[in-house]
Amino acid sequence: MSPAVTPGTLPGPPAEPTGRAAKTTEWPLWEVFVRSKAGLDHKHCGSLHAADPQMAIQLARDVYTRRQEGTSIWVVRSDQIVASDPGEKAAYFDPMADKVYRHPTFYDLPKSVDHM
Amino acid sequence: MQSSIEVSRQPAVRYLLRIGDTCLIQAQRLGEWCGHGPVLEEDIAMTNMALDLVGQARAVLTRAGALEAELGGTAHDEDQLAFLRDERDFLNLTIAELPRGDFAVTVLRNFALSTLLKLLWQRLLDSSDAELAAIAGKALKEARYHQQHAGDWVLRLGGGTDESQRRLRAAVDLLWPYLPEAFESDEVDDEAFASGLGPRWADIADAWHAEVAPVLDEAGVAPPAPRAFRSTGKKGVHSEHLGYILAEMQHLQRSHPGGVW
């Protein structure tokens, strides 16, 4: 039996831009992840256009960390992200709605454990 | 109409004004891109850098104004020095006041100046003036980033299209004749060097060339042959462009003395 998994759709190659207005759309889109302080996860905070990885990191620094939001930045080409299919949302996520026993609510966490 | 202030002509004060004014006027030119950048992200990057430079100018002008009093003159604050000085009392390098030009002129000037400022701040870490050394510590990190950002753009324009290469070449031809001024020392430099306030600018020329030449080389552009022309902004004698910047920058404080947000 094949697993009931539908891989996310990878976008095809972008259409060739044409005309003057298309100039600014030639740069690929990048997703930006910022870690606010050591020990925490990188969190998705937005996206931007840049010509290459180096420019993407620099512009992410200028656009998303100008108020001291970050200590580390990741950027990922948006077209490299594989996403779950929104059409499969019900099959994917609804079955978990009635399984409260999967929540570890029977434990008391010590106060010193943060970010759980 | 608010009249102009009388600024101390002590060499140590003039040494600081050369640095602070170069930052301030370069900030003004970079800030002109606000809302006009080629892409939104770069627009934000350029205005970030402009704000860094305004911060550096504020700190250095504040120190210069205090030093005026320490050397027996009248103290001035940063606002008086920025908004109530006449053109002849501004001591920025002429290259900073040239019109912002196209994007190639902007990034190439930013590369040349941020490299110069980075090397200056590095040496000012050891200044005999503790406050100036502290300002340098903060400014150095900012200048390093400006140099990296602008340097990358020089390479991109050089290796881009025929048009970007042509514009970069035109920018080198336009800007390079204004650079020798930066590396010629005079009595202001000599006194700063003797007192330990800071380096003679001539003494950072080799380091500047060592950092700039490989980037221009990789970008495929060559500096024009040296010329006899010398700009004189550092001595207070400016191009026709500075007056227009000051008119815009100083108008509000001149018309509404002491006006604040």
Side-chain angles (χ1 to χ4, degrees), chain A residues 24 27 47-52 54-59 61-63 66, chain B residues 38-42 44-45 48 51-52 141-142 145 148-149 152-153 156:
Chain A
T24 53
W27 290 356
S47 57
L48 50 76
H49 289 95
D52 56 40
Q54 166 93 346
M55 190 195 284
I57 285 277
Q58 285 186 9
L59 293 179
R61 178 255 194 204
D62 282 315
V63 175
R66 45 202 297 273
Chain B
V39 292
L40 177 65
E41 291 88 343
E42 190 59 32
I44 296 173
N48 277 353
L51 284 174
D52 287 346
K141 296 177 198 165
E142 295 169 340
Y145 180 76
Q148 188 188 86
H149 186 101
D152 281 354
W153 267 117
R156 286 198 179 92

Side-chain angles (χ1 to χ4, degrees), chain B residues 8 10 12-13 16 62-73 129 197:
Chain B
S8 164
Q10 291 283 345
V13 174
L16 290 182
T62 297
R63 182 66 196 116
L67 193 60
E68 289 189 87
E70 289 169 31
L71 296 173
D129 185 307
L197 178 62

Side-chain angles (χ1 to χ4, degrees), chain B residues 71-134:
Chain B
L71 296 173
T74 311
H76 293 112
D77 66 21
E78 49 176 317
D79 288 337
Q80 290 174 304
L81 285 172
F83 298 127
L84 302 179
R85 254 185 307 158
D86 279 335
E87 182 184 319
R88 285 283 175 131
D89 291 326
F90 272 80
L91 304 181
N92 57 281
L93 295 173
T94 302
I95 190 173
E97 76 208 30
L98 300 178
R100 73 173 188 266
D102 61 12
F103 192 61
V105 170
T106 292
V107 298
L108 188 66
R109 169 166 56 190
N110 197 19
F111 179 58
L113 281 179
S114 58
T115 304
L116 172 73
L117 287 168
K118 186 196 80 170
L119 294 167
L120 264 181
W121 296 128
Q122 268 173 354
R123 283 152 183 79
L124 289 171
L125 292 175
D126 300 323
S127 172
S128 59
D129 185 307
E131 195 172 324
L132 185 59

